């Protein structure tokens, strides 16, 4: 199919073949666009292609963590558990790729190294290289869409002596596809965020000894995972499409539980305790919906945090570990909550050791292990559960240059600047799917992805039909949106924690709250208004 723009190899180049890139490809095909997806992995999946660590599991319920754009696709798939494990999610993504014949338009095992906007012809020049070093290509496209994911740029801290260790090392965000057997080994695990919380019980079930190095104790909620009942699956297939419309009107894009809008101060103490207990025992994120104001009022948050700590403490049998494993330095929910299965109980086992690296900082890695607090802990293998350069890392790892050679990485050096998380001033025809400045990681990502892809598709259709050369965020509109995101964040408790939401896990990264905390519902109204006003806040044809 020929492109509509002279000199272009493609109408659109999409970077990434996870949930966002796959759906974006499907939608643009429907417009008759010529599209090429560039993907570093050798298969589809994105986050779920790379994150194959033991215990990797979604923290959104399976029946909501799936596409809802096709009744045929959703009715042809059957989930097995309340919270799907990584292998099942990846099988689902491959099922969708098969159903839609997506792979023919995807170039695998290839990274995008740079994207440069050429003003005279309004085209992006996109350079790639094969991951095996065997060369690459240069592509010309009218649009470049970053579907790189919010948690895909794996980060290993620059520990002194990191390369001296003689044993194998692994990062949870780039796990060997063949798996790892820790049977009989002494294993050091650095990090106790979501991937650490999920992987440590599995690693401990195999290893002879596990030494966990914890910087920050995190709130963990019980997942209460279980096999799905046949009637639940059947009911979901009847109402998924309807539910998705309701999800778009919910703050977090989730409909499997309801938010109690009463404030804690308006509830009787016994009712308050029962609400917290019922939601804790239900499992999952329903706990944060126990009453209103949890994320905006410290007093309300304290009720939930105190209850969570009491339930967490009951799982810990070693008195000396209770204070170390309980989070006391931040409100509940302001760091990414962890859903766990027997995480705290794992520390009751004698072969699992906890090192508090605030008291005993990691000084270096040696040939034999890890030195912390002046003591060397000998291990056979090291697992880095140290997270990601979230929200921006996968975008700025590409050398993106806009008008007059302006570098996106330099523009974002003091924090990401976008209009609606969809585009950035100075970078025409460049879109981000669930970019910084959108609700993204504070929501069910599938719902946010579909919302963004549908909006971008409609936008490209409008530009194509109107023979409009380009679209670019207006700098004033961008400044107003960035100020609005910061204002809304300041009205919440989120800034009270050094979290990856703030970029606090990356040395030298400016700390600003990156996702939009106003809710998917309000955000959806805003982007609909923008589109309805012929993309107000964007400059067309510039």
């Amino acid at each position: 199919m020929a492109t509509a723009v002279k000199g272009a190899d493609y109408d659109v180049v999409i970077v990434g073949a996870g949930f966002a890139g796959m759906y974006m490809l499907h939608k643009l095909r429907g417009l008759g666009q010529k599209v090429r997806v560039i993907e570093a992995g050798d298969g589809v999946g994105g986050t779920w292609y790379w994150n194959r660590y033991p215990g990797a599991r979604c923290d959104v319920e399976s029946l909501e963590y799936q596409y809802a754009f096709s009744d045929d696709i959703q009715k042809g798939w059957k989930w097995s558990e309340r919270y799907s494990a990584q292998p099942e999610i990846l099988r689902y993504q491959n099922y969708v790729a098969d159903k839609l014949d997506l792979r023919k338009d995807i170039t695998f095992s290839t990274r995008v190294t740079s994207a440069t906007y050429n003003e005279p012809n309004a085209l992006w020049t996109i350079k790639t290289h094969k991951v095996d070093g065997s060369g690459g290509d240069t592509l010309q496209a009218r649009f470049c869409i970053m579907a790189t994911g919010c948690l895909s740029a794996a980060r290993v801290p620059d520990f002194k002596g990191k390369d001296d260790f003689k044993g194998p090392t692994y990062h949870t965000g780039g796990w060997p596809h063949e798996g790892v057997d820790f049977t009989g080994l002494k294993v050091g695990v650095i990090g106790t965020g979501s991937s650490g919380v999920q992987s440590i019980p599995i690693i401990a079930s195999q290893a002879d000894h596990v030494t966990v190095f914890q910087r920050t104790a995190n709130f963990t909620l019980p997942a209460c995972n279980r096999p799905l009942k046949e009637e639940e699956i059947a009911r979901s297939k009847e109402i998924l499409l309807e539910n998705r419309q309701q999800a778009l009107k919910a703050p977090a894009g989730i409909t499997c539980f309801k938010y109690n809008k009463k404030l804690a101060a308006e509830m009787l103490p016994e009712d308050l305790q029962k609400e917290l207990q019922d939601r804790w025992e239900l499992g999952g994120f329903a706990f944060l919906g126990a009453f209103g104001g949890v994320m905006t009022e410290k007093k309300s948050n304290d009720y939930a945090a105190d209850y969570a700590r009491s339930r967490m403490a009951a799982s810990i049998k070693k008195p000396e570990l209770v204070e170390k494993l309980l989070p006391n330095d931040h409100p509940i929910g302001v760091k990414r909550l962890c859903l766990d299965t027997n995480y705290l109980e794992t520390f009751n086992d004698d072969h699992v050791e906890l090192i508090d690296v605030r008291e005993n900082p990691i000084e270096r890695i040696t040939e034999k292990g890890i030195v912390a607090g002046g003591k060397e802990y000998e291990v056979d293998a090291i697992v880095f559960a140290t997270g990601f350069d979230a929200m921006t890392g996968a975008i700025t790892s590409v050398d993106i240059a806009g008008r007059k050679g302006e570098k996106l990485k330099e523009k974002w050096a003091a924090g990401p600047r976008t209009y609606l998380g969809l585009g950035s001033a100075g970078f025409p025809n460049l879109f981000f799917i669930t970019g910084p400045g959108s609700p993204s990681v504070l929501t069910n990502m599938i719902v946010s992805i579909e919302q963004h892809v549908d909006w971008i598709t409609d936008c490209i259709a409008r530009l194509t039909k109107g023979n409009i050369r380009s679209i670019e965020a207006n700098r004033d509109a961008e400044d107003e949106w960035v100020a609005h995101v910061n204002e809304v964040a300041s009205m919440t408790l989120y800034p009270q924690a050094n979290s990856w939401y703030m970029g606090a896990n990356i040395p030298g990264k400016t700390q600003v709250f990156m996702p939009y905390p106003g809710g998917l519902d309000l955000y959806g109204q805003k982007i609909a208004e923008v589109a309805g006003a012929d993309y107000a806040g964007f400059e067309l044809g510039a």
Side-chain angles (χ1 to χ4, degrees), residues 53-55 189 193-207 210 212 339-347 349 351-352:
Y53 59 85
V189 180
S194 290
S195 60
V197 164
Q198 289 183 332
S199 63
I200 285 166
I202 310 298
I203 294 170
S205 71
Q206 301 172 357
V210 178
V212 177
L339 299 191
D340 81 277
T341 300
N342 297 324
Y343 169 68
L344 294 171
E345 291 84 350
T346 299
F347 291 93
D349 295 336
H351 75 295
V352 179

Side-chain angles (χ1 to χ4, degrees), residues 79-126:
W79 296 103
S80 66
E81 294 181 279
R82 182 183 178 191
Y83 295 99
S84 298
Q86 176 272 333
E88 185 169 23
I89 298 172
L90 188 58
R91 286 196 299 273
Y92 170 72
Q93 291 172 302
N94 277 281
Y95 154 77
V96 174
D98 290 340
K99 289 279 287 185
L100 301 177
D101 193 20
L102 296 180
R103 293 183 188 82
K104 66 183 181 183
D105 292 321
I106 304 174
T107 300
F108 291 108
S109 303
T110 303
R111 291 189 183 279
V112 172
T113 57
S114 68
T116 304
Y117 185 69
N118 303 297
E119 294 192 54
N121 58 7
L123 293 177
W124 283 94
T125 298
I126 297 158

Side-chain angles (χ1 to χ4, degrees), residues 14-35:
I14 300 168
V15 186
F19 273 114
M22 291 168 64
Y23 183 42
M24 192 80 252
L25 170 59
H26 171 66
K27 288 287 285 188
L28 291 175
R29 277 181 177 176
L31 289 183
Q33 301 277 302
K34 186 179 181 184
V35 187

Side-chain angles (χ1 to χ4, degrees), residues 56-255:
R57 191 177 295 278
C58 189
D59 56 11
V60 174
E61 300 200 22
S62 306
L63 297 180
E64 297 208 63
Y65 195 76
Q66 59 178 317
Y67 289 127
F69 65 85
S70 166
D71 204 31
D72 180 49
I73 284 176
Q74 71 103 1
K75 286 185 174 174
W77 181 262
K78 182 178 179 181
W79 296 103
S80 66
E81 294 181 279
R82 182 183 178 191
Y83 295 99
S84 298
Q86 176 272 333
E88 185 169 23
I89 298 172
L90 188 58
R91 286 196 299 273
Y92 170 72
Q93 291 172 302
N94 277 281
Y95 154 77
V96 174
D98 290 340
K99 289 279 287 185
L100 301 177
D101 193 20
L102 296 180
R103 293 183 188 82
K104 66 183 181 183
D105 292 321
I106 304 174
T107 300
F108 291 108
S109 303
T110 303
R111 291 189 183 279
V112 172
T113 57
S114 68
T116 304
Y117 185 69
N118 303 297
E119 294 192 54
N121 58 7
L123 293 177
W124 283 94
T125 298
I126 297 158
K127 293 186 177 181
T128 72
H129 74 80
K130 294 288 186 183
V131 295
D132 64 4
S134 62
D137 294 305
T138 299
L139 311 174
Q140 298 267 353
R142 183 181 177 202
F143 298 99
C144 180
I145 300 178
M146 303 299 287
T148 46
C150 298
L151 296 171
S152 53
R155 169 190 175 265
V156 177
D158 191 20
F159 292 117
K160 186 178 179 181
K162 183 173 62 178
D163 297 330
D164 295 341
F165 184 64
K166 297 299 184 183
T169 61
Y170 310 96
H171 191 287
T172 49
W175 205 257
H177 292 189
E178 65 275 13
V180 181
D181 184 2
F182 292 107
T183 301
L185 301 182
K186 292 181 292 184
V187 183
V189 180
I190 301 175
T192 55
S194 290
S195 60
V197 164
Q198 289 183 332
S199 63
I200 285 166
I202 310 298
I203 294 170
S205 71
Q206 301 172 357
D208 270 5
H209 191 275
V210 178
T211 306
V212 177
F213 296 85
Q214 172 191 275
R215 181 184 62 181
T216 305
N218 280 308
F219 282 100
T220 69
L221 308 179
C224 299
N225 191 37
R226 57 171 173 76
L228 286 170
K229 300 172 183 175
E230 290 296 332
E231 55 267 31
E232 291 177 293
I233 297 169
R235 176 63 176 156
S236 171
K237 292 185 184 303
E238 292 176 6
I239 64 172
L240 176 65
L241 304 191
E242 175 188 336
N243 260 12
R244 185 53 48 90
Q245 295 307 307
Q246 294 305 310
L248 288 165
K249 300 173 185 175
I254 294 172
T255 63

Side-chain angles (χ1 to χ4, degrees), residues 219 276 287 300-310 327 330-332:
F219 282 100
L276 289 167
F287 183 76
S300 292
N301 190 281
D302 284 344
Y303 285 119
D306 289 344
Y307 183 87
R309 280 190 285 263
S310 71
H330 61 275
I332 189 169

